[in-house]
Amino acid sequence: MINVIERLELIEKRYNEINNLLMDSEVLKDLKKSKELSIELSSLEDIVKKYFEYKKVLSELEDANLMLKDKELAALASEEVARLEALKETEESELELLLIPKDKNDSKNVLMEIRGAAGGDEGNIFAGDLFRMYEKYALKNGFQVEVLNALDGASGGYTLIEFMVKGKNAYSKLKYESGSHRVQRVPVTEANGRIQTSTATVLVMPEAEDFEVDIKESDIRVDIYRSSGAGGQHVNTTDSAVRMTHIPTGIVVTCQNERSQIKNRERAMQILKSRVYDAMLSKEEAETGAIRKSKIGTGDRSEKIRTYNYPQNRVTDHRIGFTTKQLDRVMEGELDEIIEALISEDQKQRLAGE
């Protein structure tokens, strides 16, 4: 634990340093700097708290070992030493996990996009099922869900739905969901009762902070057009839909769900910032040779990550070979078992230095 202790001492020193900086009036005047420091402070909080607990255990263990020399207290002290030694091991294991390099985006809100892919109408219907699954999971975890943009499928579901999941550490839970999700079932559109395979793709991005992405007005082209598809009387009657193009990257975002052109602009900009930030992360990771998003999967939309088999009530995550026979519960938002298995495997690989 010697090297670990040295790291913990440096972390505690940095934690105290940031606390002092955030009390400096000059630092507080710089909103970008104070925001960055606050985020860093929050990321160190759990480690410093656990290190404080660990040092307390070490102090108590030292006292208990001294008590062993007292014949009258030796028996009692022996029990206390055994208890504290076990607690020390537990604390060390927890500290080891906390010291795994964290994704700087873990504490953020999440922008998610689901598209119906292979399977036509059934792919769109499945995209709708996935959205409701994530919505129920989010609500069970105390997160908020805000739909930013949606294009309804002709037979139900969505050809595209973009939504924000808001809550502390939302990204740390949902970042493993990017990829191609496959469903095997008898579609409601299938008259012959045959099992078919369809897919929907999921893209997960951290919400970009304003200070992380600087999008200039001159870098954006905005096109206004008439809304189309389901959405009420305003559709096809007003030019309220917005198409926003970020010229340097070629990223295009559309939004037509709101009646107000101004609202659609705001939502389109919200999505655009996260997309540009995600593109920046991809570029950084490519340049440094880092693995995309996490050790579990690539985070690429085309990667096949999970199969939902309705006849067998089975869900299989192909990245970690995890299977549960509770598909009905998973579709009701009971995703914890799968997500915890992904987090656990990710931590295991990071600890092994893979």
Side-chain angles (χ1 to χ4, degrees):
M1 281 289 287
I2 295 175
N3 289 336
V4 172
I5 295 297
E6 288 175 357
R7 284 178 64 194
L8 289 165
E9 288 290 336
L10 288 172
I11 289 169
E12 185 179 29
K13 182 181 177 182
R14 176 59 179 165
Y15 181 82
N16 293 330
E17 182 185 331
I18 296 171
N19 264 319
N20 290 330
L21 284 169
L22 288 172
M23 289 189 282
D24 187 322
S25 58
E26 289 302 311
V27 173
L28 291 174
K29 287 177 186 175
D30 186 339
L31 293 179
K32 181 180 177 181
K33 182 68 175 175
S34 59
K35 180 71 174 176
E36 288 174 342
L37 287 170
S38 295
I39 291 171
E40 187 182 353
L41 185 75
S42 178
S43 72
L44 299 177
E45 220 156 24
D46 289 342
I47 301 175
V48 173
K49 183 180 176 183
K50 180 58 65 178
Y51 184 40
F52 177 79
E53 292 173 6
Y54 177 66
K55 286 195 287 187
K56 186 180 176 185
V57 170
L58 290 182
S59 177
E60 290 175 0
L61 185 58
E62 188 178 344
D63 291 342
N65 277 315
L66 288 173
M67 287 168 60
L68 285 172
K69 298 174 183 178
D70 189 323
K71 291 181 181 179
E72 293 181 8
L73 298 172
L76 184 64
S78 180
E79 290 179 12
E80 184 66 357
V81 167
R83 183 187 74 82
L84 289 167
E85 285 285 2
L87 183 56
K88 175 174 170 281
E89 285 186 23
T90 301
E91 296 282 346
E92 286 176 350
S93 296
E94 291 177 1
L95 276 169
E96 201 173 35
L97 286 177
L98 287 170
L99 283 170
I100 296 171
K102 283 189 176 179
D103 187 328
K104 64 181 179 180
N105 296 305
D106 273 353
S107 62
K108 291 184 178 181
N109 297 331
V110 175
L111 176 67
M112 296 185 71
E113 174 197 283
I114 305 175
R115 289 178 181 269
D121 287 341
E122 173 62 9
N124 295 337
I125 292 168
F126 181 49
D129 294 338
L130 288 177
F131 167 68
R132 284 182 287 276
M133 176 186 78
Y134 289 125
E135 183 178 41
K136 288 174 181 178
Y137 170 77
L139 295 176
K140 286 178 184 189
N141 281 271
F143 301 149
Q144 293 178 313
V145 176
E146 179 187 359
V147 176
L148 301 175
N149 188 39
L151 297 174
D152 297 335
S155 300
Y158 302 99
T159 59
L160 164 70
I161 181 165
E162 293 169 295
F163 57 100
M164 189 74 73
V165 180
K166 299 181 177 180
K168 187 178 180 183
N169 297 322
Y171 184 73
S172 71
K173 300 284 188 182
L174 291 165
K175 65 182 178 181
Y176 304 100
E177 296 302 300
S178 277
S180 178
H181 296 241
R182 182 173 66 171
V183 63
Q184 294 174 325
R185 64 184 177 189
V186 178
V188 291
T189 54
E190 172 60 57
N192 298 319
R194 292 175 298 185
I195 294 173
Q196 290 187 9
T197 298
S198 304
T199 61
T201 60
V202 177
L203 184 62
V204 181
M205 296 169 283
E207 181 184 25
E209 301 277 359
D210 286 337
F211 68 86
E212 291 173 316
V213 179
D214 181 23
I215 296 181
K216 299 173 184 175
E217 284 292 327
S218 58
D219 286 340
I220 303 171
R221 185 177 71 245
V222 179
D223 299 305
I224 308 301
Y225 61 99
R226 192 151 292 185
S227 302
S228 61
Q233 292 182 350
H234 68 290
V235 174
N236 290 322
T237 62
T238 59
D239 291 332
S240 60
V242 173
R243 182 185 300 108
M244 202 170 276
T245 304
H246 185 243
I247 298 166
T249 61
I251 293 170
V252 180
V253 168
T254 60
C255 197
Q256 65 170 21
N257 279 49
E258 299 292 336
R259 293 173 182 271
S260 161
Q261 183 189 125
I262 294 172
K263 278 282 186 185
N264 281 329
R265 273 176 176 263
E266 288 174 356
R267 294 199 164 191
M269 179 57 79
Q270 190 178 15
I271 296 169
L272 184 64
K273 281 182 178 178
S274 291
R275 286 191 175 279
V276 171
Y277 179 62
D278 193 61
M280 284 168 52
L281 290 178
S282 298
K283 187 178 178 183
E284 285 174 14
E285 288 160 358
E287 288 173 352
T288 60
I291 295 176
R292 175 71 170 149
K293 300 294 183 190
S294 74
K295 298 286 185 181
I296 305 297
T298 63
D300 188 86
R301 186 204 299 274
S302 63
E303 181 188 16
K304 293 177 183 177
I305 66 167
R306 198 174 295 153
T307 295
Y308 303 73
N309 185 297
Y310 275 73
Q312 297 177 20
N313 197 37
R314 169 175 56 81
V315 180
T316 299
D317 194 290
H318 306 293
R319 295 164 295 179
I320 57 173
F322 178 90
T323 296
T324 177
K325 292 275 192 172
Q326 297 181 324
L327 179 144
D328 51 341
R329 293 181 61 185
V330 168
M331 299 311 292
E332 289 299 312
E334 298 290 340
L335 276 164
D336 293 289
E337 190 180 8
I338 298 173
I339 287 173
E340 289 305 318
L342 288 161
I343 291 172
S344 178
E345 181 61 26
D346 192 12
Q347 290 175 339
K348 196 186 300 180
Q349 291 185 16
R350 288 174 187 268
L351 277 171
E354 292 183 11

